[in-house]
Amino acid sequence: MERFVYADNAATTKISQPVLEAMLPYLTEEYGNPSSLYRFGNITKRAVEKARQEVAEVLGADPFEIIFTGCGTEADNWVKEIMRSLQKKGKNHFITSVVEHHALLHSAQRLEKEGFEVTYIPVDKDGQIDPEDIRKAIRPETGLVSIMFANNEIGTIYPIKEIGAICHEAGVLFHTDAVQAAGHVKINVKEMNIDMLSLSAHKFHGPKGVGAFYCRRGIPLTNIIDGGAQERGKRAGTENVAGIVGLATALSIANKEMEETTKRVTAMRNKLIDGILSTIPQCRLNGSRENRLAGNCNISFLGIEGESLLLRLDLAGIAASSGSACASSSLDPSHVLLAIGLPHEVAHGSVRLSLSDFNTDEDVDYILEKLPDIVSTLRAMSPMWEAMQKGEVSYDI
Ligand SMILES: *Cc1c(COP(=O)(O)O)cnc(C)c1O
């Protein structure tokens, strides 16, 4: 039988068995409406509140500060609402980075269209942010800084605690898109000076279509969805009870097993990176080796197109991605790879292989067995590779 290796865990993960089992009762017998007053509804209400408590506990927050959302993208969009309410206090300036997920970047662009000023903090060749750049960008009219916890394309982990401290010194609110980090990296919102945070269940073996927004007590938040009293009236609508239970269960499990998982996944990832770099000439690892998510491996293969590489990998039963899932249907090279200084042609030849604790050493061996042949086949028919061999073009990598 043909092997299937799922190496796109940064796009989404498989739901785990314990998570599914925790959810099932709320998709079957326990269908009461949490807002109903009889005991049957009370069961689901208690499940939602227990989930809220679990999420708060993992993040070092208060249950009051957790609002369940429809996804990570939605949570990121809420930052816009906070910025809009800060504008009434004369805060018209928003700071974010050039490497954010589109949920944040497109929100920032929307704010610009509405007349806000936005500063995009650049990154170095590893994709890292210098917190001092944020200090320098803060002005009296800055309302909010939003910097992602970890990058979804190149895996770079940002100095969130330090950035948060700089924001707080200046009296500026700090949000972090922790969708890639939650369940993978230890997070404590109080210790790390985080005022707002977004996370999403399907990035840590939870279900799709449910996320959470942590919003520190005292931050004025206008209602995002008007209606009933759910989520303190901020986001009305009958709760996705099973999804919320799944999110909390997945987050708790990920948090409990984090140390062990990180160790195992990092070892597999290192084997993958070292295996690729040592067997395939003319390729480069994107993103920092050290400050890196355990499962992330992002490689540029000179002389070929990432898309053709993905198709060949798919034929070999390997699911990978070029950049982010949301951007891969467009033909523009990844904004993250361009931001770290890669030329368009090099950015185009990049592939992200992202592992999770569901992967095995055999998966890594299989990728390492297939990849070198696929790359040389594609290079053999690539005009760009040919031009490189003749010395007509060259790239400094
Ligand atoms: C996946 C992802 C999102 C979007 O989360 P969804 O739940 O899929 O909407 C936002 N930010 C980052 C960094 C992500 O990786």
Side-chain angles (χ1 to χ4, degrees):
M1 205 185 88
E2 195 197 287
R3 221 188 144 88
F4 174 64
V5 172
Y6 184 73
D8 200 13
N9 288 279
T12 195
T13 56
K14 182 180 180 178
I15 198 164
S16 77
Q17 195 60 32
V19 168
L20 179 65
E21 278 164 21
M23 290 171 70
L24 270 177
Y26 302 100
L27 294 165
T28 50
E29 281 79 28
E30 304 298 350
Y31 56 84
N33 189 319
S35 300
S36 300
L37 293 178
Y38 38 78
R39 276 168 299 161
F40 188 50
N42 218 3
I43 294 171
T44 47
K45 181 169 185 59
R46 276 206 310 270
V48 168
E49 291 322 308
K50 179 169 166 275
R52 198 185 309 283
Q53 196 139 14
E54 280 173 4
V55 172
E57 213 167 280
V58 169
L59 298 178
D62 193 283
F64 177 86
E65 300 170 314
I66 306 296
I67 300 171
F68 292 113
T69 66
C71 56
T73 300
E74 184 193 325
D76 282 344
N77 270 263
W78 285 29
V79 171
K80 232 171 6 197
E81 290 305 323
I82 308 245
M83 200 57 228
R84 284 171 185 148
S85 47
L86 288 169
Q87 191 181 34
K88 298 187 189 99
K89 298 180 197 158
K91 304 286 188 184
N92 195 44
H93 181 225
F94 176 64
I95 299 174
T96 185
S97 83
V98 292
V99 292
E100 299 296 315
H101 188 274
H102 282 139
L104 219 298
L105 275 187
H106 291 166
S107 289
Q109 287 163 12
R110 165 89 53 207
L111 288 175
E112 279 186 288
K113 285 201 193 98
E114 290 174 13
F116 287 87
E117 284 197 60
V118 180
T119 301
Y120 297 90
I121 302 293
V123 295
D124 67 13
K125 61 180 188 355
D126 281 337
Q128 193 50 268
I129 286 170
D130 181 355
E132 286 309 310
D133 285 346
I134 292 165
R135 192 193 301 279
K136 284 179 217 150
I138 293 177
R139 319 175 195 157
E141 62 277 15
T142 308
L144 214 163
V145 173
S146 178
I147 302 289
M148 69 200 318
F149 207 117
N151 189 272
N152 48 306
E153 294 191 37
I154 56 174
T156 308
I157 300 172
Y158 298 100
I160 290 307
K161 184 176 175 179
E162 208 180 329
I163 294 170
I166 287 171
C167 294
H168 288 179
E169 261 174 54
V172 172
L173 292 177
F174 178 49
H175 166 262
T176 185
D177 171 350
V179 176
Q180 286 291 322
H184 301 276
V185 180
K186 278 270 178 270
I187 299 176
N188 184 302
V189 290
K190 299 285 182 292
E191 283 172 15
M192 294 177 148
N193 310 306
I194 299 167
D195 298 307
M196 285 154 279
L197 175 146
S198 311
L199 60 81
S200 180
H202 75 102
K203 302 293 175 83
F204 45 82
H205 304 300
K208 289 167 186 60
V210 59
F213 187 65
Y214 153 77
C215 188
R216 183 173 56 72
R217 200 185 278 271
I219 295 174
L221 181 59
T222 47
N223 295 358
I224 306 295
I225 300 179
D226 287 314
Q230 296 94 346
E231 303 303 301
R232 292 193 278 121
K234 302 295 174 196
R235 185 189 190 269
T238 302
E239 297 87 340
N240 172 8
V241 179
I244 288 168
V245 168
L247 181 148
T249 308
L251 188 63
S252 297
I253 294 174
N255 202 50
K256 223 175 296 149
E257 298 175 351
M258 192 178 288
E259 205 170 319
E260 208 176 308
T261 306
T262 305
K263 213 183 285 176
R264 210 176 73 76
V265 177
T266 304
M268 285 193 290
R269 177 207 70 196
N270 285 342
K271 183 177 169 185
L272 182 60
I273 292 176
D274 294 334
I276 293 172
L277 295 181
S278 65
T279 54
I280 304 177
Q282 294 286 304
C283 59
R284 83 185 293 271
L285 173 69
N286 297 313
S288 133
R289 251 293 187 167
E290 292 75 36
N291 291 315
R292 188 180 197 100
L293 288 172
N296 180 287
C297 169
N298 187 312
I299 308 262
S300 297
F301 300 91
L302 267 63
I304 57 178
E305 296 271 335
E307 273 70 28
S308 345
L309 188 46
L310 288 186
L311 293 178
R312 297 267 172 157
L313 285 170
D314 188 25
L315 288 175
I318 301 165
S321 143
S322 62
S324 78
C326 324
S328 55
S329 51
S330 75
L331 284 173
D332 296 335
S334 137
H335 65 284
V336 175
L337 297 179
L338 296 181
I340 63 173
L342 296 191
H344 275 244
E345 297 87 332
V346 178
H348 260 308
S350 307
V351 162
R352 178 187 69 188
L353 296 150
S354 46
L355 307 174
S356 81
D357 44 336
F358 283 20
N359 287 109
T360 62
D361 275 321
E362 288 72 37
D363 289 345
V364 174
D365 291 340
Y366 183 71
I367 298 172
L368 290 175
E369 178 196 319
K370 292 287 173 188
L371 195 53
D373 284 348
I374 294 176
V375 171
S376 38
T377 308
L378 288 172
R379 279 175 174 170
M381 47 195 210
S382 154
M384 201 202 314
W385 181 252
E386 195 185 333
M388 284 171 62
Q389 299 316 298
K390 288 185 186 152
E392 290 165 8
V393 285
S394 68
Y395 301 101
D396 189 19
I397 54 167

